[in-house]
Amino acid sequence: MAGSAPIRFEFATATRIVFGAGALREAALAAKSFGKRALIVTGSSVERAEPLLHWLTQEHVHGAPFAVRGEPTTHAVVQGVQRAREAECDVVIGFGGGSAIDAAKAIAAMLTNEGELLDYLEVIGRGKALTRQSAPFIAVPTTAGAGAEVTRNAVIASPEHRVKASLRSPLMLARVAVVDPELTHHLPPALTASTGLDALTQLIEPYVSCRANPLTDGLCVEGMRRVARSLARAFEHGQDKPAREDMALASLFGGLCLANAGLGAVHGFAAPIGGMFPAPHGAVCAALLPHVMEANLHALRQRHPGHVAIQRYEEVARILTGVHTTTAEGGIAWVAELCQRLKIPPLRGYEMTARDIPATVEKAMQASSMKANPIPLTHEELEGILGKAI
């Protein structure tokens, strides 16, 4: 990211991305091209997938629903693979938020790769590389935040280990990602807030990441502009079509960016916290974001005063506030005020206390997302972030 070193980067994403109001039918058309029987992985409410099931029926594709309640676990993935095999499914469709899409992604991968899920999971498993392309996988997000439709990993919780771990491979990328903003119009305000701030986090972190590149930079900037003008509107007026479209695009851009430029300390914390406490991923990211920005900026100014990430935080502030003379601190204040406006609860709302800080920091320091943070944070700095977020 810094200096005059030659530019070199890689960019990988779904084979095909379809975006636009009413695009849902494209998922059925794509499924028809891959097979005749589709496993439909949804969140807890299978009924929300009825429009998709309608279009699949029109294309003579049988849909076999499989509900994932809450964030995906190792047990849910194993059950999903069994369900797909029993129903003789030749295509997997993830229809829902990031949890449903991640579950579908993992199920599609395990349908074609030999062995057990733990053979391939990072951290708690053996971390082996997948060797075979996943079964045909179509992603249809119904929230605007995770960007999971265009990422190459699935985050899976292990209740036994009280941690979340990733199944990760380019072979897991969706064959088709269908992003229809109309599917997000039903989102309640609290979910709009937490997923929307997750999207913002996934635009800010790749932008200041030590792996940032010119291609992701452009997507980050455009995505942040859309969040700045539309997240509060979508929160307060759920049927605002332009606002919902902006947030769906911002989420898509965030997924593209995180998959190709990495994340940072917010997501480094989010994985262990999500495994230890009953806390939704987006809500955790929202509670952490302003405090991580503040700690990063302070550490950069203390230890690397000429670091390009300082200038990037200033650019983030200008994009978010729309004020060209604002400082990086002005951007942090804007994010903090947005969190208040969107009624984001602190981490203590999810049963986390000061006693949990040391164990959480130890786990977070091992998280892969920490490696892309613009500067390595000390143990004390990480504890300070959690102290403020609780």
Side-chain angles (χ1 to χ4, degrees), residues 236-309:
E236 293 163 358
H237 307 284
Q239 298 297 315
D240 186 319
K241 291 184 178 181
R244 290 297 191 185
E245 182 177 81
D246 270 353
M247 290 310 301
L249 270 174
S251 176
L252 173 63
F253 290 172
L256 292 168
C257 294
L258 77 89
N260 291 283
L263 288 162
V266 173
H267 281 80
F269 275 126
I273 290 173
M276 296 166 68
F277 304 96
H281 173 77
V284 172
C285 291
L288 288 165
L289 179 58
H291 307 300
V292 168
M293 293 173 70
E294 181 181 41
N296 276 345
L297 190 61
H298 184 263
L300 286 163
R301 285 184 169 153
Q302 271 199 328
R303 300 197 287 277
H304 296 284
H307 200 291
V308 68

Side-chain angles (χ1 to χ4, degrees), residues 305-349:
H307 200 291
V308 68
I310 297 173
Q311 178 185 341
R312 292 205 163 213
Y313 272 119
E314 291 171 352
E315 291 169 0
V316 167
R318 289 192 286 268
I319 292 166
L320 295 180
T321 65
V323 179
H324 295 296
T325 56
T326 195
T327 62
E329 285 81 3
I332 296 169
W334 185 94
V335 172
E337 289 169 9
L338 180 66
C339 288
Q340 288 187 337
R341 182 175 177 180
L342 271 53
K343 302 176 182 173
I344 297 300
L347 293 179
R348 63 177 176 271

Side-chain angles (χ1 to χ4, degrees), residues 34-82:
F34 295 131
K36 296 181 179 180
R37 302 179 70 84
L39 182 75
I40 315 299
V41 183
T42 71
S44 56
S45 175
V46 174
E47 292 75 22
R48 289 181 183 167
E50 286 180 359
L52 173 61
L53 290 167
H54 165 77
W55 287 120
L56 288 170
T57 300
Q58 294 294 306
E59 299 301 329
H60 307 289
V61 176
H62 173 74
F66 177 73
V68 176
R69 288 169 174 80
E71 300 197 349
T73 64
T74 50
H75 306 298
V77 172
V78 171
Q79 291 169 359
V81 171
Q82 182 179 355

Side-chain angles (χ1 to χ4, degrees), residues 201-275:
T201 304
Q202 292 174 174
L203 293 161
I204 293 174
E205 288 203 304
Y207 190 64
V208 300
S209 161
C210 59
R211 301 177 190 162
N213 67 68
L215 188 50
T216 57
D217 284 351
L219 293 169
C220 286
V221 169
E222 182 63 18
M224 283 187 279
R225 284 179 181 147
R226 291 177 184 271
V227 173
R229 75 188 185 198
S230 292
L231 177 51
R233 277 177 31 216
F235 173 76
E236 293 163 358
H237 307 284
Q239 298 297 315
D240 186 319
K241 291 184 178 181
R244 290 297 191 185
E245 182 177 81
D246 270 353
M247 290 310 301
L249 270 174
S251 176
L252 173 63
F253 290 172
L256 292 168
C257 294
L258 77 89
N260 291 283
L263 288 162
V266 173
H267 281 80
F269 275 126
I273 290 173

